[in-house]
Amino acid sequence: MTRPLPIDSDQRANGTSATSLLAARACLAAVFLYSGATKILFWSAGIAEFAALGLPMPTLALTATIAIQIGAGMALLIGWRSKPAALALAAFTVVATLIGHPFWVFEGGGFQRQLTTALEHLAIVGGLVAIAAAGPGPFSLQPREHSS
């Protein structure tokens, strides 16, 4: 027979646990770290993709994209300044989705594919907002707030 892990009263009150917040941060961060890393590895393809989207200064846009994906993604993963990192990634995801997946200009199967991708990105935004609201949990590098 297994026994439940003890959960302190703060975690019990808001329904979160240390391991679930760590897992959520890791899952969400993985999306951005992978994307940023592939953009570094396939730099020319990234420039071409951004140019095809009609973005001005695609090199600058790609550099900024990599910086936010790797920088905020790593901060989210380790739980350092998790609220601003999560909110930055959420805002980035909304903007990137509107630019890269304009489902409203498609018809038929293209519409369905783009809408599905946009809704998947919306789910990621929801997870990021939840982390911003809940905090990183105790398994993080987030400075602990001390009561006076």
Side-chain angles (χ1 to χ4, degrees):
M1 176 180 234
T2 61
R3 288 193 272 170
L5 294 173
I7 298 174
D8 71 337
S9 60
D10 286 343
Q11 291 173 331
R12 204 174 308 113
N14 65 21
T16 60
S17 72
T19 53
S20 63
L21 287 169
L22 176 61
R25 289 193 343 258
C27 290
L28 289 165
V31 172
F32 297 99
L33 295 172
Y34 172 79
S35 183
T38 59
K39 284 175 177 60
I40 292 170
L41 293 172
F42 304 103
W43 180 263
S44 296
I47 297 288
E49 177 187 0
F50 280 32
L53 289 170
L55 293 174
M57 299 182 288
T59 302
L60 180 60
L62 182 61
T63 302
T65 295
I66 291 168
I68 195 163
Q69 287 182 324
I70 298 292
M74 188 58 72
L76 184 66
L77 177 64
I78 65 175
W80 179 75
R81 301 197 36 87
S82 59
K83 183 175 184 173
L87 292 176
L89 289 169
F92 167 81
T93 301
V94 168
V95 171
T97 301
L98 292 173
I99 292 170
H101 302 283
F103 56 88
W104 56 91
V105 301
F106 289 85
E107 293 182 16
F111 172 81
Q112 292 301 322
R113 283 187 296 279
Q114 294 297 324
L115 179 59
T116 298
T117 300
L119 291 172
E120 289 168 349
H121 291 180
L122 182 62
I124 292 168
V125 169
L128 291 165
V129 170
I131 292 294
F139 298 140
S140 68
L141 296 181
Q142 188 85 6
R144 303 285 189 257
E145 292 184 13
H146 300 290
S147 57
S148 35

